PDB file of all heavy atoms in Angstrom:
ATOM      1  N   MET A 131     -12.243  51.007  24.305  1.00  0.00           N
ATOM      2  CA  MET A 131     -13.560  50.924  23.672  1.00  0.00           C
ATOM      3  C   MET A 131     -13.857  52.111  22.754  1.00  0.00           C
ATOM      4  O   MET A 131     -14.906  52.147  22.114  1.00  0.00           O
ATOM      5  CB  MET A 131     -14.663  50.843  24.733  1.00  0.00           C
ATOM      6  CG  MET A 131     -14.548  49.668  25.707  1.00  0.00           C
ATOM      7  SD  MET A 131     -14.518  48.035  24.905  1.00  0.00           S
ATOM      8  CE  MET A 131     -16.116  48.010  24.080  1.00  0.00           C
ATOM      9  N   ALA A 132     -12.960  53.080  22.672  1.00  0.00           N
ATOM     10  CA  ALA A 132     -13.288  54.347  21.990  1.00  0.00           C
ATOM     11  C   ALA A 132     -13.374  54.202  20.476  1.00  0.00           C
ATOM     12  O   ALA A 132     -13.873  55.100  19.803  1.00  0.00           O
ATOM     13  CB  ALA A 132     -12.252  55.415  22.346  1.00  0.00           C
ATOM     14  N   GLU A 133     -12.913  53.089  19.932  1.00  0.00           N
ATOM     15  CA  GLU A 133     -13.005  52.912  18.479  1.00  0.00           C
ATOM     16  C   GLU A 133     -14.219  52.075  18.082  1.00  0.00           C
ATOM     17  O   GLU A 133     -14.289  51.589  16.953  1.00  0.00           O
ATOM     18  CB  GLU A 133     -11.717  52.276  17.938  1.00  0.00           C
ATOM     19  CG  GLU A 133     -10.437  52.999  18.350  1.00  0.00           C
ATOM     20  CD  GLU A 133     -10.391  54.444  17.880  1.00  0.00           C
ATOM     21  OE1 GLU A 133     -10.855  54.716  16.766  1.00  0.00           O
ATOM     22  OE2 GLU A 133      -9.912  55.303  18.654  1.00  0.00           O
ATOM     23  N   ASN A 134     -15.116  51.860  19.001  1.00  0.00           N
ATOM     24  CA  ASN A 134     -16.366  51.149  18.679  1.00  0.00           C
ATOM     25  C   ASN A 134     -17.531  52.123  18.830  1.00  0.00           C
ATOM     26  O   ASN A 134     -17.834  52.581  19.930  1.00  0.00           O
ATOM     27  CB  ASN A 134     -16.574  49.963  19.637  1.00  0.00           C
ATOM     28  CG  ASN A 134     -15.710  48.778  19.262  1.00  0.00           C
ATOM     29  OD1 ASN A 134     -14.510  48.794  19.435  1.00  0.00           O
ATOM     30  ND2 ASN A 134     -16.344  47.731  18.737  1.00  0.00           N
ATOM     31  N   TYR A 135     -18.161  52.429  17.714  1.00  0.00           N
ATOM     32  CA  TYR A 135     -19.295  53.354  17.754  1.00  0.00           C
ATOM     33  C   TYR A 135     -20.559  52.665  18.267  1.00  0.00           C
ATOM     34  O   TYR A 135     -20.794  51.479  17.988  1.00  0.00           O
ATOM     35  CB  TYR A 135     -19.604  53.858  16.345  1.00  0.00           C
ATOM     36  CG  TYR A 135     -18.733  54.989  15.862  1.00  0.00           C
ATOM     37  CD1 TYR A 135     -18.647  55.260  14.490  1.00  0.00           C
ATOM     38  CD2 TYR A 135     -18.030  55.808  16.736  1.00  0.00           C
ATOM     39  CE1 TYR A 135     -17.875  56.302  14.011  1.00  0.00           C
ATOM     40  CE2 TYR A 135     -17.250  56.854  16.264  1.00  0.00           C
ATOM     41  CZ  TYR A 135     -17.175  57.104  14.904  1.00  0.00           C
ATOM     42  OH  TYR A 135     -16.420  58.141  14.423  1.00  0.00           O
ATOM     43  N   CYS A 136     -21.385  53.443  18.973  1.00  0.00           N
ATOM     44  CA  CYS A 136     -22.738  53.008  19.324  1.00  0.00           C
ATOM     45  C   CYS A 136     -23.662  54.170  19.020  1.00  0.00           C
ATOM     46  O   CYS A 136     -23.629  55.187  19.710  1.00  0.00           O
ATOM     47  CB  CYS A 136     -22.843  52.632  20.798  1.00  0.00           C
ATOM     48  SG  CYS A 136     -24.538  52.280  21.300  1.00  0.00           S
ATOM     49  N   ARG A 137     -24.461  54.060  17.968  1.00  0.00           N
ATOM     50  CA  ARG A 137     -25.290  55.186  17.573  1.00  0.00           C
ATOM     51  C   ARG A 137     -26.461  55.400  18.526  1.00  0.00           C
ATOM     52  O   ARG A 137     -26.970  56.513  18.643  1.00  0.00           O
ATOM     53  CB  ARG A 137     -25.816  54.981  16.139  1.00  0.00           C
ATOM     54  CG  ARG A 137     -26.570  56.163  15.559  1.00  0.00           C
ATOM     55  CD  ARG A 137     -25.788  57.472  15.699  1.00  0.00           C
ATOM     56  NE  ARG A 137     -26.196  58.487  14.735  1.00  0.00           N
ATOM     57  CZ  ARG A 137     -25.764  59.727  14.758  1.00  0.00           C
ATOM     58  NH1 ARG A 137     -24.918  60.120  15.701  1.00  0.00           N
ATOM     59  NH2 ARG A 137     -26.153  60.595  13.836  1.00  0.00           N
ATOM     60  N   CYS A 138     -26.911  54.350  19.183  1.00  0.00           N
ATOM     61  CA  CYS A 138     -27.981  54.531  20.168  1.00  0.00           C
ATOM     62  C   CYS A 138     -27.475  55.269  21.405  1.00  0.00           C
ATOM     63  O   CYS A 138     -28.272  55.716  22.214  1.00  0.00           O
ATOM     64  CB  CYS A 138     -28.573  53.188  20.586  1.00  0.00           C
ATOM     65  SG  CYS A 138     -29.338  52.262  19.240  1.00  0.00           S
ATOM     66  N   GLY A 139     -26.155  55.339  21.569  1.00  0.00           N
ATOM     67  CA  GLY A 139     -25.611  56.114  22.678  1.00  0.00           C
ATOM     68  C   GLY A 139     -25.600  55.382  24.006  1.00  0.00           C
ATOM     69  O   GLY A 139     -25.949  55.944  25.036  1.00  0.00           O
ATOM     70  N   CYS A 140     -25.161  54.124  23.979  1.00  0.00           N
ATOM     71  CA  CYS A 140     -25.148  53.317  25.210  1.00  0.00           C
ATOM     72  C   CYS A 140     -23.804  53.385  25.927  1.00  0.00           C
ATOM     73  O   CYS A 140     -23.506  52.511  26.744  1.00  0.00           O
ATOM     74  CB  CYS A 140     -25.479  51.860  24.875  1.00  0.00           C
ATOM     75  SG  CYS A 140     -26.993  51.640  23.935  1.00  0.00           S
ATOM     76  N   TYR A 141     -22.999  54.388  25.634  1.00  0.00           N
ATOM     77  CA  TYR A 141     -21.610  54.383  26.106  1.00  0.00           C
ATOM     78  C   TYR A 141     -21.470  54.292  27.623  1.00  0.00           C
ATOM     79  O   TYR A 141     -20.577  53.618  28.131  1.00  0.00           O
ATOM     80  CB  TYR A 141     -20.885  55.640  25.611  1.00  0.00           C
ATOM     81  CG  TYR A 141     -20.690  55.700  24.113  1.00  0.00           C
ATOM     82  CD1 TYR A 141     -21.073  56.817  23.372  1.00  0.00           C
ATOM     83  CD2 TYR A 141     -20.101  54.635  23.422  1.00  0.00           C
ATOM     84  CE1 TYR A 141     -20.876  56.886  22.003  1.00  0.00           C
ATOM     85  CE2 TYR A 141     -19.902  54.695  22.046  1.00  0.00           C
ATOM     86  CZ  TYR A 141     -20.289  55.826  21.345  1.00  0.00           C
ATOM     87  OH  TYR A 141     -20.095  55.881  19.981  1.00  0.00           O
ATOM     88  N   VAL A 142     -22.336  54.987  28.344  1.00  0.00           N
ATOM     89  CA  VAL A 142     -22.200  54.986  29.806  1.00  0.00           C
ATOM     90  C   VAL A 142     -22.391  53.566  30.334  1.00  0.00           C
ATOM     91  O   VAL A 142     -21.651  53.101  31.211  1.00  0.00           O
ATOM     92  CB  VAL A 142     -23.234  55.945  30.428  1.00  0.00           C
ATOM     93  CG1 VAL A 142     -23.167  55.889  31.946  1.00  0.00           C
ATOM     94  CG2 VAL A 142     -22.991  57.374  29.939  1.00  0.00           C
ATOM     95  N   ARG A 143     -23.340  52.866  29.758  1.00  0.00           N
ATOM     96  CA  ARG A 143     -23.615  51.500  30.220  1.00  0.00           C
ATOM     97  C   ARG A 143     -22.552  50.516  29.725  1.00  0.00           C
ATOM     98  O   ARG A 143     -22.225  49.556  30.414  1.00  0.00           O
ATOM     99  CB  ARG A 143     -25.007  51.074  29.761  1.00  0.00           C
ATOM    100  CG  ARG A 143     -26.115  51.874  30.445  1.00  0.00           C
ATOM    101  CD  ARG A 143     -27.489  51.516  29.926  1.00  0.00           C
ATOM    102  NE  ARG A 143     -28.494  52.401  30.508  1.00  0.00           N
ATOM    103  CZ  ARG A 143     -29.651  51.981  31.012  1.00  0.00           C
ATOM    104  NH1 ARG A 143     -29.957  50.701  30.989  1.00  0.00           N
ATOM    105  NH2 ARG A 143     -30.500  52.843  31.528  1.00  0.00           N
ATOM    106  N   ILE A 144     -22.045  50.733  28.517  1.00  0.00           N
ATOM    107  CA  ILE A 144     -20.972  49.851  28.018  1.00  0.00           C
ATOM    108  C   ILE A 144     -19.776  49.931  28.964  1.00  0.00           C
ATOM    109  O   ILE A 144     -19.204  48.911  29.354  1.00  0.00           O
ATOM    110  CB  ILE A 144     -20.551  50.251  26.584  1.00  0.00           C
ATOM    111  CG1 ILE A 144     -21.703  50.039  25.592  1.00  0.00           C
ATOM    112  CG2 ILE A 144     -19.326  49.436  26.136  1.00  0.00           C
ATOM    113  CD1 ILE A 144     -21.448  50.637  24.209  1.00  0.00           C
ATOM    114  N   LYS A 145     -19.441  51.147  29.331  1.00  0.00           N
ATOM    115  CA  LYS A 145     -18.294  51.358  30.226  1.00  0.00           C
ATOM    116  C   LYS A 145     -18.509  50.601  31.539  1.00  0.00           C
ATOM    117  O   LYS A 145     -17.636  49.865  32.002  1.00  0.00           O
ATOM    118  CB  LYS A 145     -18.133  52.866  30.479  1.00  0.00           C
ATOM    119  CG  LYS A 145     -16.874  53.239  31.201  1.00  0.00           C
ATOM    120  CD  LYS A 145     -16.568  54.732  31.036  1.00  0.00           C
ATOM    121  CE  LYS A 145     -17.658  55.617  31.604  1.00  0.00           C
ATOM    122  NZ  LYS A 145     -17.396  57.056  31.415  1.00  0.00           N
ATOM    123  N   ALA A 146     -19.686  50.745  32.107  1.00  0.00           N
ATOM    124  CA  ALA A 146     -19.985  50.064  33.377  1.00  0.00           C
ATOM    125  C   ALA A 146     -19.930  48.548  33.206  1.00  0.00           C
ATOM    126  O   ALA A 146     -19.430  47.829  34.085  1.00  0.00           O
ATOM    127  CB  ALA A 146     -21.362  50.498  33.875  1.00  0.00           C
ATOM    128  N   ALA A 147     -20.417  48.056  32.072  1.00  0.00           N
ATOM    129  CA  ALA A 147     -20.456  46.608  31.863  1.00  0.00           C
ATOM    130  C   ALA A 147     -19.056  46.035  31.684  1.00  0.00           C
ATOM    131  O   ALA A 147     -18.761  44.930  32.155  1.00  0.00           O
ATOM    132  CB  ALA A 147     -21.327  46.280  30.642  1.00  0.00           C
ATOM    133  N   VAL A 148     -18.176  46.773  31.007  1.00  0.00           N
ATOM    134  CA  VAL A 148     -16.817  46.274  30.804  1.00  0.00           C
ATOM    135  C   VAL A 148     -16.088  46.200  32.149  1.00  0.00           C
ATOM    136  O   VAL A 148     -15.406  45.215  32.445  1.00  0.00           O
ATOM    137  CB  VAL A 148     -16.051  47.152  29.786  1.00  0.00           C
ATOM    138  CG1 VAL A 148     -14.598  46.712  29.678  1.00  0.00           C
ATOM    139  CG2 VAL A 148     -16.731  47.074  28.417  1.00  0.00           C
ATOM    140  N   VAL A 149     -16.274  47.207  32.976  1.00  0.00           N
ATOM    141  CA  VAL A 149     -15.664  47.181  34.313  1.00  0.00           C
ATOM    142  C   VAL A 149     -16.213  45.997  35.117  1.00  0.00           C
ATOM    143  O   VAL A 149     -15.467  45.243  35.739  1.00  0.00           O
ATOM    144  CB  VAL A 149     -15.930  48.509  35.050  1.00  0.00           C
ATOM    145  CG1 VAL A 149     -15.516  48.409  36.511  1.00  0.00           C
ATOM    146  CG2 VAL A 149     -15.190  49.651  34.352  1.00  0.00           C
ATOM    147  N   ARG A 150     -17.521  45.805  35.048  1.00  0.00           N
ATOM    148  CA  ARG A 150     -18.152  44.699  35.776  1.00  0.00           C
ATOM    149  C   ARG A 150     -17.633  43.340  35.283  1.00  0.00           C
ATOM    150  O   ARG A 150     -17.314  42.460  36.088  1.00  0.00           O
ATOM    151  CB  ARG A 150     -19.675  44.766  35.595  1.00  0.00           C
ATOM    152  CG  ARG A 150     -20.423  43.649  36.315  1.00  0.00           C
ATOM    153  CD  ARG A 150     -21.864  43.543  35.812  1.00  0.00           C
ATOM    154  NE  ARG A 150     -22.776  44.447  36.493  1.00  0.00           N
ATOM    155  CZ  ARG A 150     -23.700  44.059  37.383  1.00  0.00           C
ATOM    156  NH1 ARG A 150     -23.817  42.786  37.693  1.00  0.00           N
ATOM    157  NH2 ARG A 150     -24.498  44.925  37.943  1.00  0.00           N
ATOM    158  N   ALA A 151     -17.532  43.198  33.960  1.00  0.00           N
ATOM    159  CA  ALA A 151     -17.047  41.929  33.403  1.00  0.00           C
ATOM    160  C   ALA A 151     -15.611  41.665  33.838  1.00  0.00           C
ATOM    161  O   ALA A 151     -15.235  40.524  34.124  1.00  0.00           O
ATOM    162  CB  ALA A 151     -17.153  41.958  31.881  1.00  0.00           C
ATOM    163  N   GLY A 152     -14.808  42.728  33.897  1.00  0.00           N
ATOM    164  CA  GLY A 152     -13.424  42.573  34.344  1.00  0.00           C
ATOM    165  C   GLY A 152     -13.373  42.027  35.761  1.00  0.00           C
ATOM    166  O   GLY A 152     -12.578  41.131  36.069  1.00  0.00           O
ATOM    167  N   LYS A 153     -14.255  42.532  36.612  1.00  0.00           N
ATOM    168  CA  LYS A 153     -14.292  42.046  37.998  1.00  0.00           C
ATOM    169  C   LYS A 153     -14.658  40.568  38.034  1.00  0.00           C
ATOM    170  O   LYS A 153     -14.067  39.788  38.780  1.00  0.00           O
ATOM    171  CB  LYS A 153     -15.299  42.864  38.808  1.00  0.00           C
ATOM    172  CG  LYS A 153     -14.768  44.238  39.161  1.00  0.00           C
ATOM    173  CD  LYS A 153     -15.742  45.020  40.041  1.00  0.00           C
ATOM    174  CE  LYS A 153     -15.198  46.421  40.295  1.00  0.00           C
ATOM    175  NZ  LYS A 153     -16.254  47.425  40.393  1.00  0.00           N
ATOM    176  N   THR A 154     -15.652  40.180  37.233  1.00  0.00           N
ATOM    177  CA  THR A 154     -16.047  38.769  37.201  1.00  0.00           C
ATOM    178  C   THR A 154     -14.899  37.894  36.740  1.00  0.00           C
ATOM    179  O   THR A 154     -14.632  36.844  37.330  1.00  0.00           O
ATOM    180  CB  THR A 154     -17.235  38.580  36.230  1.00  0.00           C
ATOM    181  OG1 THR A 154     -18.221  39.567  36.523  1.00  0.00           O
ATOM    182  CG2 THR A 154     -17.828  37.190  36.355  1.00  0.00           C
ATOM    183  N   LEU A 155     -14.205  38.323  35.691  1.00  0.00           N
ATOM    184  CA  LEU A 155     -13.089  37.535  35.168  1.00  0.00           C
ATOM    185  C   LEU A 155     -11.988  37.406  36.217  1.00  0.00           C
ATOM    186  O   LEU A 155     -11.405  36.333  36.395  1.00  0.00           O
ATOM    187  CB  LEU A 155     -12.539  38.197  33.888  1.00  0.00           C
ATOM    188  CG  LEU A 155     -13.372  37.970  32.634  1.00  0.00           C
ATOM    189  CD1 LEU A 155     -12.997  38.981  31.555  1.00  0.00           C
ATOM    190  CD2 LEU A 155     -13.175  36.553  32.110  1.00  0.00           C
ATOM    191  N   THR A 156     -11.710  38.495  36.920  1.00  0.00           N
ATOM    192  CA  THR A 156     -10.690  38.464  37.967  1.00  0.00           C
ATOM    193  C   THR A 156     -11.081  37.476  39.061  1.00  0.00           C
ATOM    194  O   THR A 156     -10.278  36.671  39.520  1.00  0.00           O
ATOM    195  CB  THR A 156     -10.515  39.867  38.577  1.00  0.00           C
ATOM    196  OG1 THR A 156     -10.335  40.787  37.515  1.00  0.00           O
ATOM    197  CG2 THR A 156      -9.313  39.904  39.496  1.00  0.00           C
ATOM    198  N   GLU A 157     -12.363  37.521  39.459  1.00  0.00           N
ATOM    199  CA  GLU A 157     -12.840  36.597  40.486  1.00  0.00           C
ATOM    200  C   GLU A 157     -12.736  35.155  40.013  1.00  0.00           C
ATOM    201  O   GLU A 157     -12.367  34.276  40.775  1.00  0.00           O
ATOM    202  CB  GLU A 157     -14.293  36.917  40.860  1.00  0.00           C
ATOM    203  CG  GLU A 157     -14.421  38.141  41.754  1.00  0.00           C
ATOM    204  CD  GLU A 157     -15.838  38.706  41.761  1.00  0.00           C
ATOM    205  OE1 GLU A 157     -16.767  37.984  41.339  1.00  0.00           O
ATOM    206  OE2 GLU A 157     -15.996  39.863  42.179  1.00  0.00           O
ATOM    207  N   GLU A 158     -13.048  34.932  38.737  1.00  0.00           N
ATOM    208  CA  GLU A 158     -12.961  33.567  38.204  1.00  0.00           C
ATOM    209  C   GLU A 158     -11.527  33.061  38.259  1.00  0.00           C
ATOM    210  O   GLU A 158     -11.276  31.918  38.628  1.00  0.00           O
ATOM    211  CB  GLU A 158     -13.478  33.516  36.760  1.00  0.00           C
ATOM    212  CG  GLU A 158     -14.984  33.475  36.677  1.00  0.00           C
ATOM    213  CD  GLU A 158     -15.485  33.462  35.234  1.00  0.00           C
ATOM    214  OE1 GLU A 158     -14.662  33.307  34.307  1.00  0.00           O
ATOM    215  OE2 GLU A 158     -16.711  33.605  35.055  1.00  0.00           O
ATOM    216  N   VAL A 159     -10.589  33.933  37.878  1.00  0.00           N
ATOM    217  CA  VAL A 159      -9.175  33.536  37.892  1.00  0.00           C
ATOM    218  C   VAL A 159      -8.743  33.228  39.325  1.00  0.00           C
ATOM    219  O   VAL A 159      -8.127  32.203  39.611  1.00  0.00           O
ATOM    220  CB  VAL A 159      -8.297  34.651  37.284  1.00  0.00           C
ATOM    221  CG1 VAL A 159      -6.820  34.354  37.513  1.00  0.00           C
ATOM    222  CG2 VAL A 159      -8.592  34.775  35.793  1.00  0.00           C
ATOM    223  N   GLU A 160      -9.139  34.112  40.260  1.00  0.00           N
ATOM    224  CA  GLU A 160      -8.773  33.895  41.670  1.00  0.00           C
ATOM    225  C   GLU A 160      -9.378  32.598  42.183  1.00  0.00           C
ATOM    226  O   GLU A 160      -8.745  31.833  42.896  1.00  0.00           O
ATOM    227  CB  GLU A 160      -9.249  35.075  42.516  1.00  0.00           C
ATOM    228  CG  GLU A 160      -8.341  36.290  42.361  1.00  0.00           C
ATOM    229  CD  GLU A 160      -8.949  37.555  42.965  1.00  0.00           C
ATOM    230  OE1 GLU A 160     -10.038  37.473  43.557  1.00  0.00           O
ATOM    231  OE2 GLU A 160      -8.315  38.617  42.819  1.00  0.00           O
ATOM    232  N   HIS A 161     -10.628  32.346  41.782  1.00  0.00           N
ATOM    233  CA  HIS A 161     -11.325  31.143  42.216  1.00  0.00           C
ATOM    234  C   HIS A 161     -10.586  29.897  41.715  1.00  0.00           C
ATOM    235  O   HIS A 161     -10.376  28.942  42.475  1.00  0.00           O
ATOM    236  CB  HIS A 161     -12.759  31.158  41.677  1.00  0.00           C
ATOM    237  CG  HIS A 161     -13.577  29.999  42.136  1.00  0.00           C
ATOM    238  ND1 HIS A 161     -14.043  29.897  43.432  1.00  0.00           N
ATOM    239  CD2 HIS A 161     -14.002  28.893  41.493  1.00  0.00           C
ATOM    240  CE1 HIS A 161     -14.720  28.769  43.557  1.00  0.00           C
ATOM    241  NE2 HIS A 161     -14.718  28.136  42.395  1.00  0.00           N
ATOM    242  N   GLU A 162     -10.159  29.957  40.451  1.00  0.00           N
ATOM    243  CA  GLU A 162      -9.437  28.820  39.888  1.00  0.00           C
ATOM    244  C   GLU A 162      -8.100  28.612  40.596  1.00  0.00           C
ATOM    245  O   GLU A 162      -7.695  27.481  40.879  1.00  0.00           O
ATOM    246  CB  GLU A 162      -9.178  29.036  38.383  1.00  0.00           C
ATOM    247  CG  GLU A 162     -10.359  28.636  37.519  1.00  0.00           C
ATOM    248  CD  GLU A 162     -10.205  29.120  36.082  1.00  0.00           C
ATOM    249  OE1 GLU A 162      -9.054  29.217  35.605  1.00  0.00           O
ATOM    250  OE2 GLU A 162     -11.246  29.417  35.464  1.00  0.00           O
TER     251      GLU A 162
END
Side-chain angles (χ1 to χ4, degrees):
Chain A
M131 302 303 299
E133 307 300 322
N134 282 72
Y135 279 161
C136 173
R137 186 51 157 173
C138 298
C140 307
Y141 293 128
V142 176
R143 293 176 186 226
I144 295 170
K145 189 162 61 182
V148 175
V149 170
R150 180 195 274 252
K153 284 183 183 146
T154 312
L155 283 163
T156 310
E157 284 162 17
E158 280 178 9
V159 170
E160 283 168 4
H161 183 73
E162 276 168 31

